[in-house]
Amino acid sequence: MLGLNNKDLRLFIIVICLTVFAPFILNPFPETSELAQFNAGYPDLMQRFIIFGIFAIGFNILFGLTGYLSFGHAAFLGVGSYAAIWMMKLLTLNVIPAILMSIVFAGLFAVVVGYISLRRSGIYFSILTLAFAQMSYALAYSVLTPITGGETGLQIKATDTPLLSNLAEGEIGRANLFGLDMRSSFELELGNWLFTFNAGYYIAVVFMLIAFYLSIRLFRSPFGMMLRAVKSNQQRMNYTGLNSKPYTLAAFVISGMYAGLAGGLMVAMDTQVGPERMFWTASGEVVLMSILGGAGTLIGPVLGAGMIKYMENIISKINDNILHKWFEFMPDGIEDFLVTIIHPFIGKGWHLTLGLLFMAVIIFLPGGLVELGQRIGRLFRRGGSKDTAAQSTPAE
Amino acid sequence: MGILEVKGVNKRFGGLQALGDVNLSVSENSVHAIIGPNGAGKSTLLNCLVGKLIPDTGSVMFDGQSVLGQTPYQINQMGISRVFQTPEIFGDLSVMENMMIPCLAKRDGSFELNAWPSVNSQKDIIEHAEQVLEDMNMAEKRDMHASSLSRGDKRRLEIGMCLAQEPRLLLLDEPTAGMARADTNNTIDLLKEIKDQRDITIAIIEHDMHVVFSLAERITVLAQGTPLVEDTPDNIKGHPKVREAYLGEAQV
Ligand SMILES: Nc1ncnc2c1ncn2[C@@H]1O[C@H](COP(=O)(O)OP(=O)(O)OP(=O)(O)O)[C@@H](O)[C@H]1O
Ligand SMILES: [Mg+2]
């Protein structure tokens, strides 16, 4: 069905279910409980899971398949965002043209950056992409201020009167989809639980599912096989009558367009953009997401993106007071001791937790979270049937 | 006129004259061996044929067309396939995938943005790849990781990948170097079989005289970058110049 084999179809259906029911799944704890702290089912964070998921899926097409490690993908995220907000300022507050333009502009920029950077491989390629991204960041900050708004960035203001949207005098426009406000939400209260279904989130989900579906098709296509050939042995490729350059450039541009889509969606959800979106740490983050989840696998980068965004938003909010409440039931001495031990890992220390987790994954699970899943799966299967353990297929 | 015509090729590396005025003619559907002591310039010559190196002077014509200035993939698409001294295969991919890539290169050319249909839906490619695997006696290794093959099998796979493209000229650089006797004999048999079954020209660089004399119809002896003689195997065996330059040295 859908042109996918059974395994991929199952994965796709699982992803559909997880994203559609995320408001329930991510809010397992009642509002009144101590553990509500760990609920991630609020629109802002769920949107970020989806958007960074798209970013990572696209990055993985380049890095996971061809092995070319771009260290400047945030530049495409930024270009997508700027393109989107200008569409909203000038043409219409409907998000569709904005998102399409973000893909187009990021793609065009990726052609230029890719064409130049791909003259080199390995570390030199990474450095070239990094240089491009930092250059874009610096330009957005300074020389390009008329287009980028410089340090303050761009927002939708009362003075913006998009051509196709009829706004009242002085009204601040809001991003919408054919009139449906991106910020509108439907809240469902069940007992002590509160679930929020947000319009923007579900629109992002639709884009993410399309992006994910296209990436599955690409992975399984002859083109995807050629990209893996690029990673494996370019010498053999060239002596087999294949020109590896356009293959790599195509992968680069496609992944740049994914990043542009993510940037456009960010603006659609929250109508503002600043140059820090292109800062090198943002480029580094997507590298971490891919590796943490499992580079070269279909679902890995999405898991990595979710993991990092969850820690960034949830672990970072835990503070000593909350810890004291959790360990209240213990004798005072032990309570203080535990809080002291855990203190460096929470709040602003979430980077430390992430760093340790990342190291553990690199050392013990080079295949990322996907490998963890496969190992657990194999453990269970060994109990039942014994035959399938040995042959693992590449690229889940 | 041969299918491959090399005329007056010179190649210098700094002060070293690696190739000096090389003339070589390989006639269609023959097996032509190039032998010579270490450092004679055999690999350098081969690299000049496939676009890895560009000769300083001279011409290289394949089937009436110049290959000079063409990139390796363009030369390959003209019909020249090359087997490396150490097998170059796609180690991270399965044996079947390794075989499908040259089949795709043959069908779709050097680049095709074919990202929508799945590989499994390309029935003609699968059939073609399976056929070549069958010919190579590797059908049962279809799903193995290519990097886990034995050295002999890697060589076999690489030769198969070249044949899948149905080249008109197959170049082999010491295909049996570092192989055990049994693997060497297997490779000889394989190459004989290939020669018998299709219209193909083979040029082979080899140190192993056993291989050379079992396969070659003509032999060129290269010494210090210059061809000494070119003749049939029988005449080469007794040639005094060859003994002096090559076989004599080999006995030391
Ligand atoms: N890229 C290079 N740069 C500098 N010198 C080179 C280069 N390639 C080859 N040479 C030199 O050119 C000469 C010919 O080398 P070549 O590899 O062609 O010899 P060969 O006949 O293939 O030897 P072997 O039997 O050892 O493979 C050698 O002296 C070698 O050191
Ligand atoms: Mg050599």
Side-chain angles (χ1 to χ4, degrees), chain A residues 213-214 217-218 220-223 225-226 228-229 232-233 235-243 246-247 250, chain B residues 52 73 76-77 82 84 88-92 97 100-101 105 110-112 114-119 158 165:
Chain A
Y213 174 71
L214 292 178
R217 293 214 65 135
L218 187 150
R220 302 298 180 226
S221 71
F223 179 73
M225 197 157 83
M226 292 300 176
R228 287 193 289 137
S232 184
N233 191 340
Q235 166 123 311
R236 179 29 88 202
M237 224 182 145
N238 289 331
Y239 287 93
T240 306
L242 294 162
N243 190 357
Y247 279 107
Chain B
K52 187 162 191 174
Y73 78 87
N76 177 281
Q77 290 282 359
R82 171 196 186 164
F84 284 80
E88 293 278 357
I89 52 174
F90 301 110
D92 305 332
E97 287 172 324
M100 287 167 86
I101 287 172
S110 62
F111 173 72
E112 174 91 32
N114 202 2
W116 182 252
S118 87
V119 168
E158 192 188 23
Q165 295 192 283

Side-chain angles (χ1 to χ4, degrees), chain B residues 141-159:
Chain B
K141 303 199 168 88
R142 190 181 183 254
D143 295 322
M144 275 175 77
H145 235 236
S147 60
S148 62
L149 291 173
S150 72
R151 197 182 159 114
D153 276 342
K154 281 182 183 157
R155 169 66 68 215
R156 203 169 251 280
L157 175 61
E158 192 188 23
I159 293 175

